[in-house]
Amino acid sequence: MKYFFKYEKGYINIDEKYLYMTTTGNWSEITSLNEKSSKTKSQSAVKKIKTYSFYGMMIAFSLLLFFNLSNGKGNKIFLPIGIILMLVSAYKYIRSGAGNQYKIPLSKISKMEYSHKSLKIYFKNIDNNQDFERIETIEEKGIQILKDLKMI
């Protein structure tokens, strides 16, 4: 049994033993994943800092470009539209790789709650402490898989 489905910031893979949170959905990626711990939390924090720094640099570059080019002569009506499209496409491209990466043993999942394309998973982490993960914008295929597996 191997299943995978997409959510807002990556993919969820499920096999007989684990639920994996991955950025690509590729099964070869799961071999390097560990259970959620303070180390995986800090790796996620670093990844988020890098992502937000990239967005900040994109906005700064866009503003610099806009002000430099708008000082010249000519009609620059399409410049702001182009900058907005560039920022939106960069956001959509990077968003899928911004998700957490770790695995959760199915035996450690205590419950899952689903409402309005949002899933909340309650489980015990590697230190055997109660933890949770909120997953947003799950595709319909994933909801059906979780229902078929009687997880929700």
Side-chain angles (χ1 to χ4, degrees):
M1 143 183 123
K2 285 188 174 183
Y3 304 99
F4 74 96
F5 54 91
K6 188 166 180 39
Y7 73 101
E8 182 180 23
K9 295 183 179 179
Y11 290 85
I12 294 181
N13 297 39
I14 303 173
D15 65 11
E16 295 84 12
K17 295 181 181 182
Y18 295 99
L19 181 143
Y20 306 92
M21 299 188 66
T22 65
T23 56
T24 64
N26 191 335
W27 285 98
S28 63
E29 182 181 1
I30 66 170
T31 57
S32 62
L33 296 180
N34 297 316
E35 287 186 50
K36 187 175 184 181
S37 65
S38 58
K39 181 181 176 183
T40 57
K41 285 182 185 179
S42 65
Q43 288 172 341
S44 295
V46 168
K47 187 188 296 186
K48 287 179 184 176
I49 289 169
K50 287 180 180 179
T51 302
Y52 291 133
S53 297
F54 176 77
Y55 292 141
M57 287 188 299
M58 289 289 291
I59 290 171
F61 171 74
S62 299
L63 289 173
L64 181 67
L65 181 67
F66 176 75
F67 288 121
N68 279 338
L69 292 179
S70 64
N71 288 336
K73 295 180 180 177
N75 190 359
K76 306 291 189 224
I77 189 71
F78 293 109
L79 183 62
I81 295 170
I83 290 172
I84 290 170
L85 289 174
M86 179 184 69
L87 291 172
V88 169
S89 62
Y91 170 75
K92 288 188 175 195
Y93 179 75
I94 292 175
R95 178 182 61 178
S96 65
N100 295 327
Q101 289 187 224
Y102 57 85
K103 63 184 176 182
I104 305 170
L106 295 178
S107 61
K108 288 188 172 184
I109 297 175
S110 53
K111 70 177 179 176
M112 291 187 184
E113 295 174 348
Y114 173 72
S115 64
H116 306 292
K117 291 194 176 189
S118 176
L119 180 69
K120 194 168 185 180
I121 305 171
Y122 296 91
F123 61 96
K124 292 194 176 188
N125 60 23
I126 197 166
D127 301 322
N128 226 16
N129 296 327
Q130 194 64 29
D131 206 341
F132 73 93
E133 182 70 34
R134 182 181 305 274
I135 301 167
E136 302 289 336
T137 316
I138 300 172
E139 66 181 2
E140 289 298 320
K141 171 188 166 185
I143 300 306
Q144 190 59 48
I145 289 170
L146 293 173
K147 285 180 180 177
D148 291 345
L149 294 173
K150 297 181 179 22
M151 294 178 141
I152 56 172

